[in-house]
Amino acid sequence: MQMAFHTIIEQGRKDLRTKYLHGIQCRAEPLFDAEVAMIQRLNFEVALVQMADFGEQLRRRELYFHAIGSGCSSIVLYVLGLTRVNPIQHDTYFQRFWQTSSGEPPLLQLVVDSIGRPGFGDVAQPKCISAHGMTRLEAIPSRVEALIGSIKITKLDQATLATLQAGDTEDIFQFHDQRAKWLLSQIRPTSIEELAVVTALEQLSHGHPDVLISYLEQYREILDTRYVTGHRASPESRHRLPVLFQESLMSQLRHLAKLPWNDTYLFIRDAAKGRMDDQHDLWKAAIGEMEASSAGSTESVLRTIAESSRWALCWAHHAANALTSYKAAYCRTHNRVAFEKVQEQLTESTEQGI
């Protein structure tokens, strides 16, 4: 198994040079090396080998798939082709995936285009993989790509953005219902990041409409723009409706309190569940570090982060879904015939119960 792990890693190092060119390679290689070191320190080599093998089995059976959840933050999984979220471009944090409070290997969530396709049930599924079938709308962009070729997202297409901004998204994954259409028309997204904001807001609106309303009314008063997506918002974009993401809060907490990555994850996780107060060991540790470094009003800053964690979502997950939605919108805008053909095929398969 160790030999298989080292083979995968060495191939990954070579693939870095094709996925990352020129200037950004100097950022990708240290990130890749740091993640590999963490996997080895945690003794998760077997889990990585199983993830890679499962993905390869799906490819051999021509079953399209992509990762969702915090596994999308991993540069190693990106290089292996298991996630489509570019961690350099989208500023994700691999620690969000590999750090687990149980000490067990993390669970990689995959969605597979299994509608009407044999072979999905024949793939041996390891414990570190959670795989389930795509919805009909989710499967459309993968099927269209199979017909027309891979869609590379480097610069977003203005015609596709115009379709999304107008809420003309009747058959687009995640954006087909009225609530999502309204959010698109309000935010008028111009990037994958802002599409992820829409999907996150839409998710909040279903289970926690009161939190969503309160959030939209009060976010300017309680949050600095550094908490929005990990970047400082430009002046012209501050009128948009941001959403908190756990990775951004982890990064801010780590910067202010100098806590180890695992502790920042546990702090945000417990805060999200309402378990964080001034008696918590991690609260005391954070306060101690912040006071020692003269970080300012430590109590109020820490309390803001803890309270904000209750609304925070997984950035890597929403970025992955936003990419799928954008590809679907692109396909419908520029390849309408193929889009409608695939849509009809998937509808027939669903109706036949395949």
Side-chain angles (χ1 to χ4, degrees), residues 273-321:
K273 296 179 179 180
R275 299 173 182 171
M276 184 56 62
D277 56 32
D278 56 9
Q279 299 303 308
H280 197 292
D281 288 343
L282 289 177
W283 181 283
K284 295 176 182 177
I287 287 288
E289 290 290 343
M290 292 167 73
E291 288 178 345
S293 61
S294 301
S297 181
T298 57
E299 186 80 19
S300 61
V301 170
L302 202 59
R303 196 168 301 283
T304 297
I305 292 175
E307 291 175 356
S308 301
S309 298
R310 300 193 186 195
W311 299 340
L313 301 168
C314 178
W315 161 239
H317 170 73
H318 285 282
N321 279 338

Side-chain angles (χ1 to χ4, degrees), residues 112-229:
V112 183
D113 178 10
S114 58
I115 302 173
R117 292 180 179 272
F120 177 40
D122 298 331
V123 182
Q125 189 171 316
K127 291 182 179 179
C128 59
I129 297 283
S130 171
H132 59 271
M134 291 181 182
T135 65
R136 180 177 62 84
L137 293 183
E138 194 173 9
I140 289 176
S142 294
R143 296 283 184 102
V144 174
E145 279 192 292
L147 292 176
I148 67 172
S150 179
I151 299 170
K152 302 294 185 183
I153 300 176
T154 53
K155 183 178 181 181
L156 297 193
D157 173 69
Q158 291 303 311
T160 302
L161 287 175
T163 297
L164 290 164
Q165 292 166 358
D168 181 16
T169 51
E170 187 68 32
D171 303 307
I172 304 301
F173 172 62
Q174 292 191 116
F175 297 146
H176 58 284
D177 66 20
Q178 291 302 316
R179 194 189 313 253
K181 293 178 182 179
W182 177 81
L183 285 169
L184 285 169
S185 68
Q186 295 300 301
I187 296 176
R188 299 185 62 79
T190 59
S191 65
I192 294 297
E193 286 77 8
E194 289 179 341
L195 285 174
V197 164
V198 174
T199 68
L201 280 169
E202 205 274 339
Q203 177 181 324
L204 277 173
S205 69
H206 285 283
H208 306 282
D210 54 331
V211 171
L212 175 62
I213 293 169
S214 175
Y215 176 69
L216 296 180
E217 290 175 347
Q218 300 178 36
Y219 79 94
R220 287 187 182 87
E221 301 175 10
I222 64 172
L223 297 175
D224 184 275
T225 55
R226 288 172 298 181
Y227 299 159
V228 176
T229 60

Side-chain angles (χ1 to χ4, degrees), residues 300-351:
S300 61
V301 170
L302 202 59
R303 196 168 301 283
T304 297
I305 292 175
E307 291 175 356
S308 301
S309 298
R310 300 193 186 195
W311 299 340
L313 301 168
C314 178
W315 161 239
H317 170 73
H318 285 282
N321 279 338
L323 284 166
T324 300
S325 299
Y326 176 81
K327 281 191 175 183
Y330 181 94
C331 292
R332 203 189 73 167
T333 301
H334 295 285
N335 303 94
R336 192 69 180 242
V337 173
F339 185 95
E340 291 179 350
K341 178 181 179 180
V342 167
Q343 186 180 42
E344 182 179 349
Q345 291 172 344
L346 288 169
T347 299
E348 289 177 355
S349 295
T350 303
E351 290 175 349

Side-chain angles (χ1 to χ4, degrees), residues 5 15-16 18 27 56 64 213 259 267 290 312 343:
F5 173 77
D15 292 342
L16 274 173
T18 60
R27 295 174 57 200
E56 187 56 35
Y64 311 121
I213 293 169
L259 295 178
F267 184 105
M290 292 167 73
Q343 186 180 42

